[in-house]
Amino acid sequence: MEQLLDLRQVRTFVEVAHTRSFTRAASQLHYAQSSVTAQVQALESDLGLPLFNRLGRQVELTDAGRQFLTHAEKLICTAEQARLSVQKDDRIIGPLVVSAAESLLTYRMPELLRVFQATYPDVRLTLRADASCSAAVQEPGVDLAISIDTPIRVPSLLAQSLRRERVLALVAAEHPLAKQKKLSASDVAEHQILLTDHSCSYRAVFERTMAQEGSRVNRVLEFASVEALKQCAIARMGVAVLPELVVAAELQRGSLVALAWPQKPVYVYTQLVRHRDKWFSPVMQAFWKMAQQLLNPASKSS
């Protein structure tokens, strides 16, 4: 007689696969670590194959584990749909993993997150900071993304633009470029440029604009954090490239000044993103709708 898969073991396997850690999976699932280990071992025994390579504290999926993960996620999704189909009340309940850019998590989303948790206290919300949110939403375990990017046109993704975000070149008020009324790309390129890493959309927009004007960046200082980048600009270390939303307070105080370049404004967009083929669960729908309402200025004014 064939052994039926234990859904609890499958859920535990998926959590370990997403977190790449038995310890973190145990914490997320509120199990003892020994219970997580036992469940994964029992599942491997039922399948007759190892699902993970255990390399000290490191956990990696085997080839069999990678193949099984896709089916395991679908199985859990189907089970969740079945549970919700007979749920007698209208409570929004369950896990939700949202990927977002650091700048959005810091400057756009706190009010959205506060209102969402107050409205839906039974949702277990997990946040991930990712530079490339459109790529992150295609990874296992990520439900939705809020991206700051050029318009996303990927066949496997559904994206909705919420608001336009202007990208600025900025310097400290004491910087030699601060008071110049007319600047070219070559003027800007003579100075050190403070940029985020290559996966960041507004860096790409800046470099493309420089190239269109026949110039290129010579000296770059890269940052993993927009906050660190901003503080170094205030310390007169160079020209910072950041969305206006990140520096609104500094512009108002006068500690940073937007350069008179480029002459034609350049923009990226705050966008809601989800995978086209992933089940749009009630939890995802609730977050998507609230994000539309709270992050779209047109929605607020209507």
Side-chain angles (χ1 to χ4, degrees), residues 127-140:
L127 300 171
R128 277 183 40 170
D130 289 292
S132 179
C133 301
S134 57
V137 82
Q138 299 183 74
E139 296 176 6

PDB file of all heavy atoms in Angstrom, residues 127-140:
ATOM      1  N   LEU A 127       8.219  40.397   5.855  1.00  0.00           N
ATOM      2  CA  LEU A 127       8.742  41.382   4.908  1.00  0.00           C
ATOM      3  C   LEU A 127      10.157  41.017   4.490  1.00  0.00           C
ATOM      4  O   LEU A 127      10.950  40.563   5.308  1.00  0.00           O
ATOM      5  CB  LEU A 127       8.734  42.782   5.532  1.00  0.00           C
ATOM      6  CG  LEU A 127       7.374  43.311   5.964  1.00  0.00           C
ATOM      7  CD1 LEU A 127       7.542  44.599   6.749  1.00  0.00           C
ATOM      8  CD2 LEU A 127       6.467  43.530   4.764  1.00  0.00           C
ATOM      9  N   ARG A 128      10.436  41.231   3.204  1.00  0.00           N
ATOM     10  CA  ARG A 128      11.787  41.018   2.676  1.00  0.00           C
ATOM     11  C   ARG A 128      12.235  42.272   1.957  1.00  0.00           C
ATOM     12  O   ARG A 128      11.485  42.829   1.155  1.00  0.00           O
ATOM     13  CB  ARG A 128      11.800  39.857   1.679  1.00  0.00           C
ATOM     14  CG  ARG A 128      11.903  38.496   2.283  1.00  0.00           C
ATOM     15  CD  ARG A 128      11.971  37.410   1.236  1.00  0.00           C
ATOM     16  NE  ARG A 128      12.788  37.738   0.075  1.00  0.00           N
ATOM     17  CZ  ARG A 128      13.143  36.863  -0.863  1.00  0.00           C
ATOM     18  NH1 ARG A 128      12.752  35.613  -0.762  1.00  0.00           N
ATOM     19  NH2 ARG A 128      13.875  37.227  -1.896  1.00  0.00           N
ATOM     20  N   ALA A 129      13.435  42.738   2.253  1.00  0.00           N
ATOM     21  CA  ALA A 129      14.011  43.871   1.529  1.00  0.00           C
ATOM     22  C   ALA A 129      14.824  43.333   0.368  1.00  0.00           C
ATOM     23  O   ALA A 129      15.792  42.592   0.555  1.00  0.00           O
ATOM     24  CB  ALA A 129      14.896  44.702   2.452  1.00  0.00           C
ATOM     25  N   ASP A 130      14.402  43.662  -0.850  1.00  0.00           N
ATOM     26  CA  ASP A 130      15.073  43.183  -2.060  1.00  0.00           C
ATOM     27  C   ASP A 130      15.267  44.338  -3.020  1.00  0.00           C
ATOM     28  O   ASP A 130      14.337  45.119  -3.258  1.00  0.00           O
ATOM     29  CB  ASP A 130      14.249  42.095  -2.756  1.00  0.00           C
ATOM     30  CG  ASP A 130      14.232  40.794  -1.980  1.00  0.00           C
ATOM     31  OD1 ASP A 130      15.292  40.149  -1.894  1.00  0.00           O
ATOM     32  OD2 ASP A 130      13.173  40.428  -1.464  1.00  0.00           O
ATOM     33  N   ALA A 131      16.460  44.446  -3.584  1.00  0.00           N
ATOM     34  CA  ALA A 131      16.705  45.498  -4.580  1.00  0.00           C
ATOM     35  C   ALA A 131      15.904  45.245  -5.845  1.00  0.00           C
ATOM     36  O   ALA A 131      15.309  46.143  -6.420  1.00  0.00           O
ATOM     37  CB  ALA A 131      18.200  45.574  -4.903  1.00  0.00           C
ATOM     38  N   SER A 132      15.875  43.984  -6.289  1.00  0.00           N
ATOM     39  CA  SER A 132      15.129  43.632  -7.497  1.00  0.00           C
ATOM     40  C   SER A 132      13.875  42.863  -7.109  1.00  0.00           C
ATOM     41  O   SER A 132      13.867  41.643  -7.032  1.00  0.00           O
ATOM     42  CB  SER A 132      16.004  42.793  -8.434  1.00  0.00           C
ATOM     43  OG  SER A 132      15.280  42.436  -9.596  1.00  0.00           O
ATOM     44  N   CYS A 133      12.793  43.604  -6.842  1.00  0.00           N
ATOM     45  CA  CYS A 133      11.573  42.960  -6.344  1.00  0.00           C
ATOM     46  C   CYS A 133      10.864  42.170  -7.440  1.00  0.00           C
ATOM     47  O   CYS A 133      10.179  41.189  -7.152  1.00  0.00           O
ATOM     48  CB  CYS A 133      10.633  44.013  -5.776  1.00  0.00           C
ATOM     49  SG  CYS A 133      11.381  44.940  -4.436  1.00  0.00           S
ATOM     50  N   SER A 134      10.992  42.593  -8.688  1.00  0.00           N
ATOM     51  CA  SER A 134      10.342  41.851  -9.770  1.00  0.00           C
ATOM     52  C   SER A 134      10.963  40.468  -9.915  1.00  0.00           C
ATOM     53  O   SER A 134      10.288  39.508 -10.278  1.00  0.00           O
ATOM     54  CB  SER A 134      10.443  42.623 -11.092  1.00  0.00           C
ATOM     55  OG  SER A 134      11.791  42.893 -11.416  1.00  0.00           O
ATOM     56  N   ALA A 135      12.265  40.357  -9.616  1.00  0.00           N
ATOM     57  CA  ALA A 135      12.909  39.041  -9.624  1.00  0.00           C
ATOM     58  C   ALA A 135      12.517  38.257  -8.383  1.00  0.00           C
ATOM     59  O   ALA A 135      12.263  37.054  -8.446  1.00  0.00           O
ATOM     60  CB  ALA A 135      14.426  39.197  -9.699  1.00  0.00           C
ATOM     61  N   ALA A 136      12.430  38.947  -7.241  1.00  0.00           N
ATOM     62  CA  ALA A 136      12.109  38.269  -5.983  1.00  0.00           C
ATOM     63  C   ALA A 136      10.740  37.617  -6.019  1.00  0.00           C
ATOM     64  O   ALA A 136      10.535  36.536  -5.463  1.00  0.00           O
ATOM     65  CB  ALA A 136      12.189  39.256  -4.821  1.00  0.00           C
ATOM     66  N   VAL A 137       9.759  38.268  -6.672  1.00  0.00           N
ATOM     67  CA  VAL A 137       8.399  37.741  -6.674  1.00  0.00           C
ATOM     68  C   VAL A 137       8.289  36.459  -7.498  1.00  0.00           C
ATOM     69  O   VAL A 137       7.291  35.748  -7.416  1.00  0.00           O
ATOM     70  CB  VAL A 137       7.412  38.815  -7.177  1.00  0.00           C
ATOM     71  CG1 VAL A 137       7.372  38.874  -8.702  1.00  0.00           C
ATOM     72  CG2 VAL A 137       6.017  38.585  -6.604  1.00  0.00           C
ATOM     73  N   GLN A 138       9.314  36.144  -8.270  1.00  0.00           N
ATOM     74  CA  GLN A 138       9.331  34.895  -9.018  1.00  0.00           C
ATOM     75  C   GLN A 138       9.996  33.769  -8.230  1.00  0.00           C
ATOM     76  O   GLN A 138      10.034  32.636  -8.686  1.00  0.00           O
ATOM     77  CB  GLN A 138      10.053  35.108 -10.355  1.00  0.00           C
ATOM     78  CG  GLN A 138       9.358  36.142 -11.240  1.00  0.00           C
ATOM     79  CD  GLN A 138      10.014  36.303 -12.593  1.00  0.00           C
ATOM     80  OE1 GLN A 138       9.893  35.439 -13.470  1.00  0.00           O
ATOM     81  NE2 GLN A 138      10.713  37.390 -12.790  1.00  0.00           N
ATOM     82  N   GLU A 139      10.511  34.093  -7.045  1.00  0.00           N
ATOM     83  CA  GLU A 139      11.138  33.080  -6.204  1.00  0.00           C
ATOM     84  C   GLU A 139      10.089  32.355  -5.365  1.00  0.00           C
ATOM     85  O   GLU A 139       9.038  32.925  -5.055  1.00  0.00           O
ATOM     86  CB  GLU A 139      12.158  33.738  -5.268  1.00  0.00           C
ATOM     87  CG  GLU A 139      13.326  34.380  -5.981  1.00  0.00           C
ATOM     88  CD  GLU A 139      14.252  35.093  -5.011  1.00  0.00           C
ATOM     89  OE1 GLU A 139      14.020  34.983  -3.790  1.00  0.00           O
ATOM     90  OE2 GLU A 139      15.190  35.759  -5.486  1.00  0.00           O
ATOM     91  N   PRO A 140      10.369  31.123  -4.967  1.00  0.00           N
ATOM     92  CA  PRO A 140       9.442  30.399  -4.092  1.00  0.00           C
ATOM     93  C   PRO A 140       9.251  31.145  -2.775  1.00  0.00           C
ATOM     94  O   PRO A 140      10.194  31.679  -2.211  1.00  0.00           O
ATOM     95  CB  PRO A 140      10.143  29.055  -3.864  1.00  0.00           C
ATOM     96  CG  PRO A 140      11.117  28.918  -4.975  1.00  0.00           C
ATOM     97  CD  PRO A 140      11.538  30.297  -5.331  1.00  0.00           C
TER      98      PRO A 140
END
